Amino acid sequence: QRLSLLCRLLLAAVAVCGLQRSFLTIDARPNSRSQTPLMHQGLPQMPRASSLGTEWTSWAATGVLAVGAAALALKSHRRDESSATMFSKHDKRTFRGKLHAHTFGKYRLRKNKARRIQAIKNGTFDPEKVVQTGQPEPEHPWDLDNILENPIYYAPDYFKEVLYDYWDDVNEKMREKWQDYMGIKGNQRYFKNWTPPDVNAA
């Protein structure tokens, strides 16, 4: 279809240029006004174009129209259908290009998330059967309390005192609801080196 459209545009451009040349009067004589009949000398004469200028103008118009038609056809041709870029790994509109750029699935739901949403819609989702992954949060060397205790890093004494006072208040609040968080979910820093009172009583 695109090839036939391109051919039609080229034929139309050639036809337009041919009509343009047929309507122009070409007169290369050095002094055409002196050789006109006496009956026509008093009449206004139409401006006449030289043969070289008319020919150059028509060919230039044909070339411009042909180039425009070719550019339009190439622009309408999708890159995905091109044999040169269909298997290119740098084309992000193809599966291989998305894999190469690490963008495939970035804006798509993961399979487990999609199944969870579908189960909620169907009314078959049971939160009690959900297997918790990544919880409770493990301890990391870059946690602030571990960094403060690391002799490699330096922190002023006043900063440590203020931070320890703040942590004492937070730990007290979190340890009141240790049954919901301790060993179950969230950061376990609040329960570090601490044993619940019910366990001590037992």
Side-chain angles (χ1 to χ4, degrees):
Q1 281 184 342
R2 292 193 179 92
L3 184 59
S4 62
L5 178 61
L6 180 60
C7 293
R8 291 177 185 176
L9 290 174
L10 290 176
L11 291 176
V14 174
V16 169
C17 292
L19 289 175
Q20 181 184 3
R21 293 187 60 185
S22 65
F23 282 113
L24 287 173
T25 304
I26 302 173
D27 194 353
R29 289 177 295 180
N31 190 3
S32 61
R33 190 176 184 83
S34 63
Q35 298 180 8
T36 54
L38 294 176
M39 64 180 65
H40 297 295
Q41 285 185 2
L43 298 176
Q45 299 293 323
M46 298 293 293
R48 303 180 184 278
S50 64
S51 176
L52 182 60
T54 305
E55 205 168 319
W56 173 256
T57 304
S58 63
W59 281 111
T62 305
V64 169
L65 288 174
V67 171
L72 182 62
L74 289 176
K75 186 177 180 181
S76 61
H77 187 62
R78 291 184 57 190
R79 289 183 61 197
D80 291 347
E81 299 175 0
S82 174
S83 59
T85 60
M86 184 179 298
F87 301 102
S88 174
K89 64 182 180 179
H90 295 133
D91 188 1
K92 288 188 178 181
R93 288 184 286 183
T94 61
F95 176 71
R96 181 175 178 182
K98 290 173 183 175
L99 290 180
H100 177 73
H102 305 285
T103 58
F104 183 79
K106 183 173 288 187
Y107 304 105
R108 294 174 176 84
L109 288 175
R110 293 294 184 254
K111 292 183 179 180
N112 291 336
K113 177 70 81 172
R115 293 191 188 102
R116 178 191 180 99
I117 294 175
Q118 189 63 39
I120 293 174
K121 291 180 179 180
N122 296 338
T124 59
F125 177 73
D126 187 6
E128 299 295 335
K129 295 182 180 179
V130 175
V131 179
Q132 193 79 310
T133 57
Q135 297 291 334
E137 185 178 345
E139 184 179 2
H140 304 291
W142 55 84
D143 289 341
L144 187 55
D145 52 344
N146 291 333
I147 290 179
L148 289 179
E149 295 174 3
N150 194 333
I152 297 178
Y153 299 96
Y154 168 76
D157 293 336
Y158 69 88
F159 177 75
K160 293 181 180 181
E161 292 177 1
V162 172
L163 197 58
Y164 287 145
D165 292 340
Y166 166 74
W167 280 343
D168 290 339
D169 297 337
V170 175
N171 292 343
E172 184 179 355
K173 295 295 183 182
M174 291 300 296
R175 288 170 182 176
E176 292 177 358
K177 43 188 177 182
W178 66 271
Q179 294 179 347
D180 297 332
Y181 288 92
M182 186 173 180
I184 299 176
K185 60 183 179 180
N187 197 328
Q188 302 296 302
R189 183 188 60 79
Y190 318 108
F191 316 107
K192 188 176 181 180
N193 301 326
W194 178 78
T195 305
D198 298 342
V199 177
N200 289 336

